[in-house]
């Protein structure tokens, strides 16, 4: 276009909002199948193949650890090649991983399948999706990230009941196979047709700004896409490590509680349908929470918004201590919604902390590294809960530790300051 940037037509919907909708769907499929559905397979696998609960939960650890270690690589590929091919490749790997798991009977092959699923999740999940939205939005970035991230919670609302139905009417193999087919059939074509990593690829500006504000907007585009700390520079700051430690503690406690809550309710005497409904309520709360905390990140410092989410989580875990066979259902919905709202805080706040503290030039690499730390906490929390249950036949000690880690995360994240060398994008 000979150096000129086309202005957007009046009344035309900004393309960034289409990308919010598409990435919402990607995260719904990624999280609904990889995270929310996992705990529903624990008892069927235990009954069908004779594996211990800790052995089954180790598959979740393999999944999330693999996703974490693959996240920096996914971020680097997004920085270099753009998000479109990365997301399509990730959907292919994640889908094939579920197909493999649907056919296994050996524990080692079960873990291998979740290695493939984990790599695929890293390539189609929060790293590329948050990079897209961070480039396309600046003034409204928190809100846009929250709307996108609501797909993670929606995965619990949509996928958990679907898997509950499949397990009730078919078996765990068919349920796994259906996940693989859905992910590949929906994500790959949408990624190839709709995804554009940066607005400049379409001659547009962040937030749908018009050509009439050329000088200020061009400066914004250049600053947003051309400056920022490298991963090496970011990792040499205390800010990076305060964020990493706080989110690791948060992830350990939050995902450990989410994954342990389904078998905990079933052990307490509630039917699987109630446990699945509670999981769906967590997903609903997570979807609402992500929108809420994305909006809050446009109104306050993202680390302060994260503290509010962590308090919600802590309250939900404390309610779990009171659950017994005679508890009214309102208690179940209270813990589930509070847990969901708290779980909803992580993606908008982590993405905003990465972009505002370290800029966008190397956002994929920096966010990927922070996501590695969070993923390790997420991977170990449920495994720890499963092993503690095998050793004590109870989840009470586990919930106590989860509550303690969530409490520790609060003062650590409040110490996060903007590095002197950072570029706010």
């Amino acid at each position: 276009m000979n150096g000129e940037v086309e202005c957007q037509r009046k009344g035309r919907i900004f393309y960034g909002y289409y990308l919010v909708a598409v990435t919402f769907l990607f995260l719904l499929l990624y999280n609904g199948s990889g995270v929310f559905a996992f705990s529903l397979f624990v008892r069927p696998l235990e009954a069908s193949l004779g594996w211990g609960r800790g052995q089954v939960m180790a598959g979740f650890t393999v999944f999330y650890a693999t996703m974490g270690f693959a996240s920096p690589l996914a971020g680097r590929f997004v920085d270099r090649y753009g998000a479109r091919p990365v997301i399509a490749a990730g959907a292919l790997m994640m889908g094939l991983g579920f197909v493999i798991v649907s056919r296994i009977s050996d524990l080692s092959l079960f873990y291998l399948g979740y290695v493939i699923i984990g790599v695929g999740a890293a390539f189609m999940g929060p790293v590329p999706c948050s990079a897209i939205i961070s480039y396309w939005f600046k003034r409204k970035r928190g809100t846009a990230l929250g709307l996108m991230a609501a797909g993670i919670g929606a995965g619990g609302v949509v996928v958990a009941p679907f898997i509950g139905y499949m397990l009730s009417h078919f078996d765990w193999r068919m349920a796994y196979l259906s996940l693989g087919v859905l992910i590949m059939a929906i994500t790959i074509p949408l990624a190839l047709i709709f995804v554009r990593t940066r607005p400049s690829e379409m001659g547009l500006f962040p937030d749908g700004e018009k050509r009439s504000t050329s000088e200020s907007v061009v400066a914004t585009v250049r600053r947003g896409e051309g400056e920022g700390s490298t991963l090496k520079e970011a990792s040499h700051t205390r800010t990076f490590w305060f964020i990493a430690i706080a989110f690791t503690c948060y992830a350990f406690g939050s995902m450990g509680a989410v994954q342990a809550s389904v078998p905990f309710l079933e052990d307490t005497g509630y039917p699987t349908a109630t446990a699945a409904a509670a999981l769906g309520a967590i997903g609903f709360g997570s979807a609402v929470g992500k929108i809420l905390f994305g909006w809050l990140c446009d109104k306050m410092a993202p680390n302060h918004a994260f503290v509010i989410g962590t308090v919600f989580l802590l309250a939900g875990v404390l309610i779990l201590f009171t659950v017994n066979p005679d508890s009214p259902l309102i208690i179940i919905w209270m813990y589930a919604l509070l847990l969901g709202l708290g779980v909803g805080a992580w993606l908008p706040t982590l993405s905003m902390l990465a972009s505002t503290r370290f800029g966008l030039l190397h956002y994929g690499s920096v966010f990927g590294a922070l996501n590695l730390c969070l993923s390790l906490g997420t991977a170990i929390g449920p495994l720890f809960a499963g092993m503690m249950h095998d050793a004590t036949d109870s989840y009470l000690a586990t919930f106590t530790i989860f509550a303690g880690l969530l409490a520790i995360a609060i003062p650590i994240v409040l110490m996060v300051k903007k590095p002197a060398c950072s570029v706010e994008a």
Side-chain angles (χ1 to χ4, degrees), residues 287-312:
V288 173
K290 284 178 173 59
I291 297 172
L292 169 65
F293 288 104
W295 176 79
L296 284 175
C297 284
D298 285 336
K299 304 297 181 182
M300 63 174 65
N303 55 331
H304 295 166
F306 174 78
V307 168
I308 297 173
T310 305
V311 170
F312 283 152

Side-chain angles (χ1 to χ4, degrees), residues 125-411:
V127 174
C129 289
S130 68
I132 294 167
I133 302 306
S134 293
Y135 274 114
W136 278 84
F137 293 89
K138 178 175 172 59
R139 289 184 294 102
K140 306 172 184 176
R141 186 182 299 161
T143 301
L145 283 167
L147 291 169
M148 172 208 75
I152 290 179
V157 177
V158 175
V159 179
F162 169 71
I163 293 302
Y165 173 85
M166 293 296 293
L167 291 172
S168 298
H169 292 78
F170 299 97
D171 64 4
W172 63 267
R173 294 186 185 276
M174 184 60 69
Y176 268 130
L177 180 63
S178 66
L179 288 177
V181 173
L182 281 174
I183 288 171
M184 290 187 287
I186 295 174
T187 305
I188 294 174
L190 286 179
L192 295 177
I193 293 170
F194 291 104
V195 168
R196 300 294 184 273
T197 307
R198 297 170 175 83
S200 57
E201 295 175 25
M202 299 181 68
L204 302 176
F205 293 116
D207 292 313
E209 295 286 355
K210 305 294 191 295
R211 183 70 180 93
S212 60
T213 55
S214 58
E215 293 303 319
S216 62
V217 175
V218 168
T220 295
V221 172
R222 287 176 178 171
R223 183 176 64 186
E225 296 188 5
E227 298 183 22
S229 303
T230 65
L231 175 58
K232 182 177 180 180
E233 291 168 344
S235 64
H236 286 167
T237 67
R238 288 181 296 177
T239 294
F240 179 92
W241 291 108
F242 284 149
I243 296 171
I245 294 169
F247 277 83
T248 300
C249 293
Y250 163 93
F252 188 105
S254 63
M255 192 51 61
V258 169
Q259 293 296 330
S261 64
V262 168
F264 168 72
L265 289 178
E266 292 174 330
D267 289 347
T268 303
Y270 291 92
T272 300
T274 299
L279 198 60
I282 293 174
F284 173 79
S286 176
V288 173
K290 284 178 173 59
I291 297 172
L292 169 65
F293 288 104
W295 176 79
L296 284 175
C297 284
D298 285 336
K299 304 297 181 182
M300 63 174 65
N303 55 331
H304 295 166
F306 174 78
V307 168
I308 297 173
T310 305
V311 170
F312 283 152
L313 265 173
L314 186 56
V317 172
L318 293 177
I319 289 176
L320 277 173
F321 284 103
T322 71
V323 173
N324 59 66
D326 300 320
S327 296
L329 285 179
I330 187 65
I331 296 295
I332 305 300
W333 306 135
M334 282 178 58
Y335 106 77
L337 289 173
L338 284 169
L339 219 60
L341 286 170
V343 169
W346 80 266
L347 183 50
T349 56
L350 182 59
S351 179
M352 287 294 288
L353 283 168
S355 64
T356 59
R357 269 53 180 179
F358 303 109
L360 285 178
L361 180 59
H362 303 283
Y363 172 89
S365 299
V366 173
F367 181 84
L370 290 170
N371 194 57
L372 165 59
C373 299
L374 178 136
S375 296
L376 291 177
T378 304
I380 297 170
L383 175 63
F384 176 80
M387 294 177 67
M388 285 288 286
H389 178 273
D390 289 345
T392 66
D393 200 33
S394 171
Y395 285 108
L396 294 181
T398 305
F399 291 152
T400 301
I401 293 171
F402 289 162
L405 287 171
L406 291 170
I408 290 171
I410 293 173

Side-chain angles (χ1 to χ4, degrees), residues 1-6 205 211 218 222:
M1 294 183 296
N2 298 322
E4 291 295 320
V5 181
E6 296 178 351
F205 293 116
R211 183 70 180 93
V218 168
R222 287 176 178 171

